[in-house]
Amino acid sequence: MGFGVFIHRSDSIYDDSPAEQYQFPSQYLGRVRACLGDWIIYYEPRKVAATRGYFAVAKVAEVIPDPKAPGMYLALIEPGSYLDFINPAPFSGTEGVVERGVLNEEGRISGRAQSAVRPISSADFNRIVGIGLNEQEPELPRTGELDARISVEGFGEGAQTPFVFEQERNRVMQLSSRIVRDRLFRRLVVQAYDKRCAITGLKLINGGGRAEVDAAHIRPVEVNGPDILTNGIALSGTAHWMFDRGLISLSDDLDILVSRHANDPDSIQGLINKTGRAIVPTRAFERPHPHFLRWHRENCFKQ
């Protein structure tokens, strides 16, 4: 087993769904199999417009031939392991290239940097994940949350405790910790939605400077919903409650749908922003994905 880097383009010709599977040709089979049972980092190359650089981590659960494409293979991602970075992690920063393994003996970028799948050292893995998941300015808790905080899986929860990796073992443990993943997912979603509820359009900040908005999973974690931004949406408390109980949903075009089973549809309509559509991030890769919206309509929404 070993860490790896998988190159993924948002405009890829391959049948990729980063939180679920990664399609690749047979020439990379050995390298992908070397990552089986371990963590990989997704990277979007610099030639992609508005590149995200290193943008997520995930764990490879299985490698199989692609049943739909002869000569192609699929790396199946372990359910619940995918996690988007909350910070940009560019290929190079103020201290040079962050993935030192792509440098040759002269310290120059080698051809390894062009490989769609490549092994990565523990040091490089730790460095990139540390950048991508560093909570530099932790948010203050919402009203009443601080007293409810408990210690889970050995990770104490403080009001302003930054997310710090001290060693490789702790990195991997925290990547698997539900309490840590929930905190990072909230930060990612709230940041993308500019602290604004997608349904009401309200942007409310409490006295401590924290947004009064929740980061909702469109497909819940309990039914294998991944911690990917496109499976998230920022909702106020009331909107979140209605969304989880199927009283509201979204079309693929982001129109807000109100259930015919709602006992007070007029009041619900009064909460919806005047456009009648969800207010979402401008960048396409941050918006709710139709795949997850369809799941919500078919499994939660009371039509």
Side-chain angles (χ1 to χ4, degrees):
M1 298 190 300
F3 300 127
V5 169
F6 287 8
I7 288 184
H8 168 78
R9 295 177 58 119
S10 52
D11 58 353
S12 174
I13 62 172
Y14 294 109
D15 185 17
D16 291 347
S17 176
E20 299 167 329
Q21 66 181 39
Y22 181 82
Q23 187 188 49
F24 62 94
S26 58
Q27 70 191 83
Y28 293 112
L29 182 57
R31 293 184 184 181
V32 173
R33 280 180 172 165
C35 299
L36 188 61
D38 220 329
W39 293 87
I40 58 96
I41 294 174
Y42 280 113
Y43 173 70
E44 196 167 58
R46 289 184 289 180
K47 56 187 176 182
V48 173
T51 179
R52 291 172 286 174
Y54 303 93
F55 65 90
V57 291
K59 194 173 186 180
V60 179
E62 192 175 356
V63 179
I64 62 172
D66 189 334
K68 300 178 181 178
M72 301 295 288
Y73 289 81
L74 297 174
L76 303 182
I77 301 304
E78 181 177 298
S81 68
Y82 180 97
L83 183 63
D84 270 321
F85 286 168
I86 60 173
N87 304 310
F91 182 77
S92 59
T94 56
E95 298 182 3
V97 173
V98 296
E99 186 186 343
R100 308 287 165 75
V102 300
L103 300 177
N104 59 24
E105 294 179 356
E106 288 76 36
R108 298 179 180 178
I109 298 174
S110 69
R112 288 192 295 273
Q114 304 301 317
S115 298
V117 176
R118 54 184 182 261
I120 186 173
S121 68
S122 296
D124 282 350
F125 178 85
N126 291 343
R127 185 180 304 107
I128 295 169
V129 172
I131 294 170
L133 298 181
N134 180 31
E135 292 182 284
Q136 298 166 345
E137 296 179 3
E139 289 188 291
L140 294 174
R142 291 181 60 197
T143 303
E145 279 189 357
L146 182 57
D147 294 337
R149 295 287 181 100
I150 59 174
S151 179
V152 177
E153 299 178 16
F155 298 102
E157 284 288 289
Q160 298 188 39
T161 302
F163 187 57
V164 178
F165 290 125
E166 296 181 352
Q167 50 185 304
E168 179 183 330
R169 179 177 60 85
N170 283 344
R171 287 181 189 275
V172 175
M173 286 177 63
Q174 295 206 34
L175 288 175
S176 302
S177 167
R178 187 68 253 165
I179 195 168
V180 172
R181 295 175 72 91
D182 283 342
R183 186 173 72 230
L184 292 169
F185 183 75
R186 170 184 162 75
R187 188 178 184 91
L188 177 73
V189 172
V190 171
Q191 179 176 283
Y193 282 75
D194 191 31
K195 304 181 180 180
R196 188 180 304 279
C197 172
I199 300 297
T200 66
L202 293 175
K203 183 178 180 179
L204 301 175
I205 310 298
N206 70 22
R210 184 179 171 99
E212 289 289 344
V213 69
D214 298 330
H217 285 83
I218 299 171
R219 177 170 181 164
V221 171
E222 293 75 16
V223 285
N224 295 323
D227 296 309
I228 187 171
L229 181 53
T230 54
N231 185 40
I233 185 170
L235 298 173
S236 62
T238 300
H240 191 174
W241 183 89
M242 293 191 295
F243 189 79
D244 283 353
R245 283 155 183 77
L247 297 179
I248 58 174
S249 191
L250 299 177
S251 72
D252 286 355
D253 294 325
L254 302 176
D255 293 318
I256 300 171
L257 310 175
V258 178
S259 170
R260 292 176 296 172
H261 297 275
N263 64 355
D264 192 359
D266 290 339
S267 293
I268 294 177
Q269 289 288 351
L271 292 174
I272 295 172
N273 75 82
K274 62 182 180 181
T275 70
R277 303 183 74 248
I279 300 173
V280 299
T282 56
R283 296 187 291 188
F285 66 82
E286 295 181 325
R287 300 172 191 161
H289 195 286
H291 172 75
F292 299 118
L293 294 177
R294 194 172 307 117
W295 186 94
H296 186 269
R297 293 196 302 272
E298 293 175 355
N299 295 274
C300 292
F301 187 51
K302 300 173 182 176
Q303 302 187 34

